[in-house]
Amino acid sequence: MDEPKVTGTKPKMSSTRMILLILAFLSTLAVIALIAVAVTQNQPLPENIKYGIVLDAGSSHTNLYVYEWPAEKENDTGVVKQVEVCKVEGPGISGYSHAPEKAGPSLEQCLQQAKEVIPSAQHKETPVYLGATAGMRLLRLQNESAADKVLSSVGNTLRSAPFNFQGARIITGQEEGAYGWITINYLLGNFKQLINLLRAETSGWKKLLHSLKSLSETSGALDLGGASTQITFVSKELTSESPENQLYFRLYGKDYQVYTHSFLCYGKDQALQQKLARDLQTVENSLLPDPCFHKGYERTINISDFFKNPCTSEKKTQLPFSQLYIKGEGDYQKCRENIQNLFDKSNCPYSSCSFNGIYLPPLQGDFGAFSAFYFVMNFLNLTSEPNPLALNKVTSTIERFCARPWQEVKTAYHHIKEKYLSEYCFSGIYILSLLENGYEFTENNWQMIHFLGKIESSDAGWTLGYMLNLTNMIPAEEPAGPPLSHGSYVGLMVLCSLVLVSVLLFAWLLLHKPKCLQKGIV
Ligand SMILES: Nc1nc2c(ncn2[C@@H]2O[C@H](COP(=O)(O)OP(=O)(O)OP(=O)(O)O)[C@@H](O)[C@H]2O)c(=O)[nH]1
Ligand SMILES: [Ca+2]
C-alpha cells in the first residue's frame, strides 16, 4: 500500500505559488514593455492635417495656393503638398494703381475657393500670406503711395477673411530667388539625408529626381516672371566677390552657400517693353517692323504711358506720334540680334559676370527652370524629360515657329489666348538669349536645364519655400527620427509578445496541470 503523501503536499503548493508569482511578474513586465515601446514609437498618435495659404501677387496676375501637410510630420522633408491653386481674375495687383481700393476685392473669389477646400474648423488656425513681386517693386519705384494703398487694400481683404492673416508685403528679389530654390529642392527631395532617400518609395517623379541631381546635390533654380527673372544655385566658390548675391543656409543639418540674383525689368513682359523702347529710339515713323512677331501680325501700342514705366523711362524720347503700329516680320536671326542688345556685356568689375556688370560665379550642376521658362518651352514642345533636347534642336524649332505666318499659327492654335500665342516667338528667342547670351549656357551644359512646371502636385515657384520658412517648417538640424528603427521596433514587439504568450501558456499549464505533465512539473 502506498503511504499517504501528506507531508509532500505543502512544499509542492508553495513552489507552484512561487512559479506563478514569477510568471505574473514577468507578464506584468512584458505588458509594461509593450505599452512603453508602443507609446514612444508612435507618438504623437492622431493624424492631423494642417493647411497654409500663400498668395503670389505677380506682375501679370495673382495666384492663390493652398498647401496641406500632416501635423506630426511637419519637420520632415517633402511632406507639404499643394492641394489647390486659384488664378485671380484680372490683372496683377500692381495693375490697380489707378483704383487701389479694387485690388483687395479682386481676391475674394479665390479666398472663397480656399474656404471650401479647408475644413471650416481649421480656418482660424490656417496662416495666410501674400507676397508681391516685381510688378509691385516697379510700382513702388514709380509711385510709392499708390503701392502702399494697393498693399493696404489687399491686407484689409485678407484680414477680413476667416483665416489667420500673417501679412501682405513686397518680397525682395533675393527672397524670390532663394525661396524658389528652396521650393524645388524641397519638392525634389534634395534636402533628404541619404538614408531617407533610400527608404523613399520609387515612383515616376523619382526618375526626374535622379536626372536632376546626383545624391546629396541640389538643383539651381531659374524663374522667369513677367517683370523680373531670378537665377539661384549652390556655388562652391569659396569667397564671394559680391556679398549681396550670397546667401548662407543651414537646412536639415547641412550648410549651403547659395548665389542668387534677381534682374528687375528682365521678366518677359518688361523685356519686350525694353526692346520696344530701344526700337523707338531709331524709328522713323509710327510704323515699326518687328522681327520678333509672326509675319501678318499687327499690334498697336499707346506711347503716352509707355515711358512712365521705370524699365523704359531711361529711353524716354519725344515722338511726333501717340500710337505705334507694330508689323510682324517673323525673322529669328534679326530678332535675336535685336534682343541681344538688352544684355550689356561691356563692363564687368568681377572675375565673371552675367550682364549689366552683375557678378555670376561659374554655373554649377543642374537647373530647374519654371514659370514662363516652362510655359513657353512647354508650348513649343521643348521640355523633353528625362532626356533634354540639344541646344541646336531647340534653336531650330523656335526659328521654324517664328517663320510661320500669323494666320496659320492662329488657325492651328485657335484655343490659345491671343496675347500668349502672339508672344511665343518673342518669348522663345528671349529665353534663348537670356540663357545663352545673359548667363552663358552653351551647347555643353544646356542639357543641365530642366524645364518643369510642377513637381508631383505642387507648382514650382517661390510660394512654398516662403511658407516653409515663415512657419519654421525647415529645421536647421535634421530632426531626430523615432527612437528605434522600424525593424528593431517590430522585432522588440514580437519578442515581448512571445514572452507574454509563453508566460500565459506556462501559467495555464501550471493551474490546470494536464495529467501528462503533472509528474514533470513538480
Ligand atoms: N503661355 C502662358 N503664359 C503664361 C501663363 N501664365 C502666365 N503667363 C505669362 O508668363 C509670364 C510670367 O508669368 P508669371 O510667372 O505668372 O509672372 P508673374 O509672377 O506675374 O511676374 P513676376 O512678378 O515678374 O514674377 C507673364 O508674361 C504671363 O503673362 C500660362 O498659363 N501660359
Ligand atoms: Ca512670379
Side-chain angles (χ1 to χ4, degrees), residues 312-344:
T312 52
S313 54
E314 261 185 31
K315 296 266 175 287
K316 190 174 165 104
T317 40
Q318 288 302 323
L319 294 163
F321 44 86
S322 59
Q323 290 201 309
L324 180 73
Y325 303 100
I326 294 173
K327 255 177 107 74
E329 292 182 309
D331 185 329
Y332 169 87
Q333 208 50 48
K334 264 168 89 178
C335 174
R336 179 82 192 244
E337 283 157 22
N338 193 199
I339 289 177
Q340 224 146 292
N341 295 325
L342 300 179
F343 306 106
D344 179 4

Short mmCIF file of all heavy atoms in Angstrom, two decimals, residues 312-344:
data_model
loop_
_atom_site.label_atom_id
_atom_site.label_comp_id
_atom_site.label_asym_id
_atom_site.label_seq_id
_atom_site.Cartn_x
_atom_site.Cartn_y
_atom_site.Cartn_z
N THR A 312 11.57 101.50 -68.78
CA THR A 312 11.76 102.14 -70.09
C THR A 312 12.06 103.64 -69.95
O THR A 312 12.44 104.27 -70.94
CB THR A 312 10.47 102.00 -70.93
OG1 THR A 312 9.37 102.45 -70.15
CG2 THR A 312 10.22 100.56 -71.36
N SER A 313 11.91 104.17 -68.73
CA SER A 313 11.97 105.64 -68.58
C SER A 313 13.31 106.24 -69.02
O SER A 313 13.34 107.37 -69.50
CB SER A 313 11.64 106.04 -67.14
OG SER A 313 12.49 105.35 -66.27
N GLU A 314 14.38 105.47 -68.89
CA GLU A 314 15.71 105.97 -69.31
C GLU A 314 15.76 106.25 -70.80
O GLU A 314 16.54 107.06 -71.27
CB GLU A 314 16.77 104.92 -69.00
CG GLU A 314 17.53 105.19 -67.73
CD GLU A 314 18.64 104.19 -67.53
OE1 GLU A 314 19.20 103.71 -68.53
OE2 GLU A 314 18.91 103.87 -66.36
N LYS A 315 14.94 105.55 -71.53
CA LYS A 315 14.97 105.66 -73.00
C LYS A 315 13.93 106.66 -73.52
O LYS A 315 13.64 106.70 -74.72
CB LYS A 315 14.69 104.29 -73.63
CG LYS A 315 15.74 103.25 -73.33
CD LYS A 315 16.77 103.21 -74.44
CE LYS A 315 17.93 102.28 -74.18
NZ LYS A 315 18.90 102.72 -73.20
N LYS A 316 13.39 107.46 -72.61
CA LYS A 316 12.32 108.40 -72.99
C LYS A 316 12.77 109.34 -74.11
O LYS A 316 13.84 109.95 -74.05
CB LYS A 316 11.90 109.21 -71.77
CG LYS A 316 10.65 110.03 -72.00
CD LYS A 316 10.21 110.70 -70.70
CE LYS A 316 9.21 111.76 -71.03
NZ LYS A 316 7.88 111.46 -70.75
N THR A 317 11.95 109.41 -75.16
CA THR A 317 12.23 110.34 -76.26
C THR A 317 10.92 111.04 -76.65
O THR A 317 9.84 110.50 -76.42
CB THR A 317 12.74 109.62 -77.54
OG1 THR A 317 11.99 108.43 -77.70
CG2 THR A 317 14.21 109.33 -77.51
N GLN A 318 11.05 112.20 -77.23
CA GLN A 318 9.87 112.90 -77.73
C GLN A 318 9.55 112.35 -79.11
O GLN A 318 10.42 112.27 -79.97
CB GLN A 318 10.17 114.42 -77.84
CG GLN A 318 10.26 115.12 -76.49
CD GLN A 318 8.99 114.96 -75.66
OE1 GLN A 318 7.89 114.97 -76.19
NE2 GLN A 318 9.16 114.80 -74.34
N LEU A 319 8.31 111.93 -79.27
CA LEU A 319 7.94 111.35 -80.57
C LEU A 319 6.78 112.14 -81.16
O LEU A 319 5.91 112.62 -80.42
CB LEU A 319 7.52 109.88 -80.38
CG LEU A 319 8.65 108.93 -79.93
CD1 LEU A 319 8.09 107.64 -79.40
CD2 LEU A 319 9.59 108.66 -81.11
N PRO A 320 6.77 112.28 -82.48
CA PRO A 320 5.72 113.08 -83.10
C PRO A 320 4.41 112.31 -83.29
O PRO A 320 3.53 112.74 -84.02
CB PRO A 320 6.34 113.44 -84.46
CG PRO A 320 7.30 112.34 -84.75
CD PRO A 320 7.77 111.80 -83.44
N PHE A 321 4.28 111.15 -82.69
CA PHE A 321 3.03 110.38 -82.81
C PHE A 321 2.70 109.77 -81.45
O PHE A 321 3.58 109.63 -80.58
CB PHE A 321 3.16 109.28 -83.88
CG PHE A 321 4.45 108.51 -83.80
CD1 PHE A 321 4.57 107.42 -82.96
CD2 PHE A 321 5.56 108.88 -84.58
CE1 PHE A 321 5.75 106.71 -82.88
CE2 PHE A 321 6.75 108.18 -84.50
CZ PHE A 321 6.85 107.09 -83.65
N SER A 322 1.41 109.43 -81.22
CA SER A 322 0.99 108.92 -79.91
C SER A 322 0.73 107.42 -79.94
O SER A 322 0.54 106.79 -78.90
CB SER A 322 -0.27 109.65 -79.45
OG SER A 322 -1.28 109.42 -80.41
N GLN A 323 0.69 106.84 -81.14
CA GLN A 323 0.48 105.39 -81.23
C GLN A 323 1.53 104.78 -82.13
O GLN A 323 1.96 105.40 -83.11
CB GLN A 323 -0.90 105.12 -81.81
CG GLN A 323 -2.01 105.48 -80.81
CD GLN A 323 -3.29 104.76 -81.13
OE1 GLN A 323 -3.74 104.81 -82.27
NE2 GLN A 323 -3.88 104.10 -80.15
N LEU A 324 1.93 103.56 -81.77
CA LEU A 324 2.92 102.86 -82.58
C LEU A 324 2.27 101.61 -83.17
O LEU A 324 1.60 100.87 -82.46
CB LEU A 324 4.11 102.47 -81.68
CG LEU A 324 5.25 101.74 -82.37
CD1 LEU A 324 6.07 102.70 -83.25
CD2 LEU A 324 6.18 101.10 -81.33
N TYR A 325 2.48 101.43 -84.46
CA TYR A 325 1.90 100.25 -85.13
C TYR A 325 3.00 99.24 -85.38
O TYR A 325 3.95 99.51 -86.12
CB TYR A 325 1.22 100.65 -86.45
CG TYR A 325 0.16 101.70 -86.23
CD1 TYR A 325 0.42 103.05 -86.50
CD2 TYR A 325 -1.10 101.35 -85.73
CE1 TYR A 325 -0.54 104.03 -86.27
CE2 TYR A 325 -2.06 102.32 -85.50
CZ TYR A 325 -1.78 103.65 -85.77
OH TYR A 325 -2.72 104.60 -85.52
N ILE A 326 2.84 98.10 -84.73
CA ILE A 326 3.86 97.04 -84.90
C ILE A 326 3.40 96.09 -86.00
O ILE A 326 2.25 95.67 -86.03
CB ILE A 326 4.04 96.26 -83.57
CG1 ILE A 326 4.64 97.18 -82.51
CG2 ILE A 326 4.89 95.03 -83.76
CD1 ILE A 326 4.69 96.56 -81.13
N LYS A 327 4.34 95.77 -86.92
CA LYS A 327 4.03 94.82 -88.00
C LYS A 327 5.06 93.69 -87.94
O LYS A 327 6.27 93.95 -88.06
CB LYS A 327 4.15 95.54 -89.35
CG LYS A 327 2.83 95.86 -90.00
CD LYS A 327 3.05 96.65 -91.28
CE LYS A 327 2.79 95.83 -92.52
NZ LYS A 327 1.38 95.57 -92.79
N GLY A 328 4.57 92.48 -87.69
CA GLY A 328 5.48 91.35 -87.54
C GLY A 328 6.24 91.00 -88.82
O GLY A 328 5.73 91.16 -89.92
N GLU A 329 7.48 90.50 -88.63
CA GLU A 329 8.31 90.06 -89.78
C GLU A 329 8.67 88.58 -89.67
O GLU A 329 9.07 87.97 -90.66
CB GLU A 329 9.62 90.85 -89.82
CG GLU A 329 9.49 92.33 -90.14
CD GLU A 329 10.85 92.98 -90.21
OE1 GLU A 329 11.64 92.79 -89.25
OE2 GLU A 329 11.15 93.66 -91.20
N GLY A 330 8.61 88.05 -88.44
CA GLY A 330 8.93 86.62 -88.24
C GLY A 330 10.33 86.23 -88.66
O GLY A 330 10.52 85.28 -89.41
N ASP A 331 11.32 86.95 -88.15
CA ASP A 331 12.71 86.69 -88.57
C ASP A 331 13.56 86.40 -87.32
O ASP A 331 13.96 87.31 -86.60
CB ASP A 331 13.24 87.92 -89.32
CG ASP A 331 14.63 87.70 -89.89
OD1 ASP A 331 15.41 86.94 -89.28
OD2 ASP A 331 14.93 88.31 -90.93
N TYR A 332 13.84 85.10 -87.12
CA TYR A 332 14.57 84.68 -85.92
C TYR A 332 15.90 85.42 -85.75
O TYR A 332 16.17 85.98 -84.68
CB TYR A 332 14.83 83.16 -85.98
CG TYR A 332 15.78 82.69 -84.92
CD1 TYR A 332 15.32 82.34 -83.66
CD2 TYR A 332 17.16 82.61 -85.16
CE1 TYR A 332 16.19 81.94 -82.66
CE2 TYR A 332 18.04 82.21 -84.17
CZ TYR A 332 17.55 81.88 -82.92
OH TYR A 332 18.43 81.49 -81.94
N GLN A 333 16.70 85.44 -86.81
CA GLN A 333 18.05 85.99 -86.70
C GLN A 333 18.03 87.47 -86.31
O GLN A 333 18.74 87.90 -85.40
CB GLN A 333 18.81 85.77 -88.02
CG GLN A 333 20.32 85.67 -87.84
CD GLN A 333 20.75 84.68 -86.74
OE1 GLN A 333 20.27 83.54 -86.69
NE2 GLN A 333 21.61 85.13 -85.84
N LYS A 334 17.17 88.23 -87.03
CA LYS A 334 17.08 89.67 -86.75
C LYS A 334 16.58 89.91 -85.33
O LYS A 334 17.06 90.81 -84.61
CB LYS A 334 16.14 90.36 -87.75
CG LYS A 334 16.88 90.99 -88.92
CD LYS A 334 15.94 91.40 -90.01
CE LYS A 334 15.40 92.81 -89.87
NZ LYS A 334 14.51 93.17 -91.00
N CYS A 335 15.61 89.12 -84.90
CA CYS A 335 15.04 89.27 -83.55
C CYS A 335 16.09 88.96 -82.50
O CYS A 335 16.24 89.67 -81.51
CB CYS A 335 13.82 88.36 -83.39
SG CYS A 335 13.17 88.33 -81.71
N ARG A 336 16.85 87.91 -82.75
CA ARG A 336 17.89 87.50 -81.79
C ARG A 336 18.91 88.63 -81.61
O ARG A 336 19.32 88.94 -80.49
CB ARG A 336 18.54 86.22 -82.32
CG ARG A 336 19.66 85.65 -81.47
CD ARG A 336 19.12 84.83 -80.32
NE ARG A 336 20.18 84.54 -79.38
CZ ARG A 336 20.61 83.32 -79.11
NH1 ARG A 336 20.06 82.28 -79.68
NH2 ARG A 336 21.58 83.14 -78.25
N GLU A 337 19.31 89.24 -82.73
CA GLU A 337 20.29 90.35 -82.65
C GLU A 337 19.69 91.54 -81.91
O GLU A 337 20.35 92.20 -81.11
CB GLU A 337 20.73 90.76 -84.06
CG GLU A 337 21.74 89.78 -84.65
CD GLU A 337 21.78 89.80 -86.18
OE1 GLU A 337 21.37 90.83 -86.76
OE2 GLU A 337 22.20 88.79 -86.77
N ASN A 338 18.42 91.78 -82.16
CA ASN A 338 17.67 92.85 -81.52
C ASN A 338 17.63 92.65 -79.99
O ASN A 338 17.97 93.54 -79.19
CB ASN A 338 16.25 92.81 -82.13
CG ASN A 338 15.43 94.02 -81.81
OD1 ASN A 338 14.22 93.99 -81.91
ND2 ASN A 338 16.05 95.11 -81.41
N ILE A 339 17.28 91.44 -79.58
CA ILE A 339 17.14 91.13 -78.15
C ILE A 339 18.50 91.12 -77.44
O ILE A 339 18.62 91.55 -76.30
CB ILE A 339 16.43 89.76 -77.97
CG1 ILE A 339 14.95 89.89 -78.36
CG2 ILE A 339 16.55 89.27 -76.53
CD1 ILE A 339 14.17 88.60 -78.28
N GLN A 340 19.52 90.64 -78.16
CA GLN A 340 20.86 90.55 -77.58
C GLN A 340 21.33 91.88 -77.00
O GLN A 340 22.09 91.90 -76.04
CB GLN A 340 21.83 90.10 -78.67
CG GLN A 340 22.79 89.04 -78.21
CD GLN A 340 23.12 88.09 -79.35
OE1 GLN A 340 22.25 87.33 -79.78
NE2 GLN A 340 24.33 88.16 -79.85
N ASN A 341 20.86 92.98 -77.61
CA ASN A 341 21.26 94.32 -77.14
C ASN A 341 20.79 94.62 -75.72
O ASN A 341 21.26 95.57 -75.10
CB ASN A 341 20.70 95.40 -78.07
CG ASN A 341 21.30 95.30 -79.44
OD1 ASN A 341 22.47 94.95 -79.58
ND2 ASN A 341 20.51 95.59 -80.48
N LEU A 342 19.83 93.83 -75.23
CA LEU A 342 19.33 94.07 -73.86
C LEU A 342 20.35 93.62 -72.81
O LEU A 342 20.25 94.00 -71.65
CB LEU A 342 18.02 93.30 -73.61
CG LEU A 342 16.83 93.63 -74.50
CD1 LEU A 342 15.64 92.76 -74.12
CD2 LEU A 342 16.46 95.11 -74.38
N PHE A 343 21.32 92.81 -73.24
CA PHE A 343 22.30 92.28 -72.28
C PHE A 343 23.63 92.99 -72.48
O PHE A 343 24.35 92.73 -73.45
CB PHE A 343 22.45 90.77 -72.46
CG PHE A 343 21.12 90.05 -72.38
CD1 PHE A 343 20.51 89.55 -73.54
CD2 PHE A 343 20.46 89.92 -71.17
CE1 PHE A 343 19.28 88.92 -73.47
CE2 PHE A 343 19.23 89.30 -71.09
CZ PHE A 343 18.64 88.80 -72.24
N ASP A 344 23.94 93.90 -71.59
CA ASP A 344 25.16 94.69 -71.72
C ASP A 344 26.33 93.89 -71.15
O ASP A 344 26.42 93.68 -69.94
CB ASP A 344 24.97 96.01 -70.96
CG ASP A 344 26.23 96.88 -71.03
OD1 ASP A 344 27.21 96.49 -71.72
OD2 ASP A 344 26.23 97.95 -70.38
#
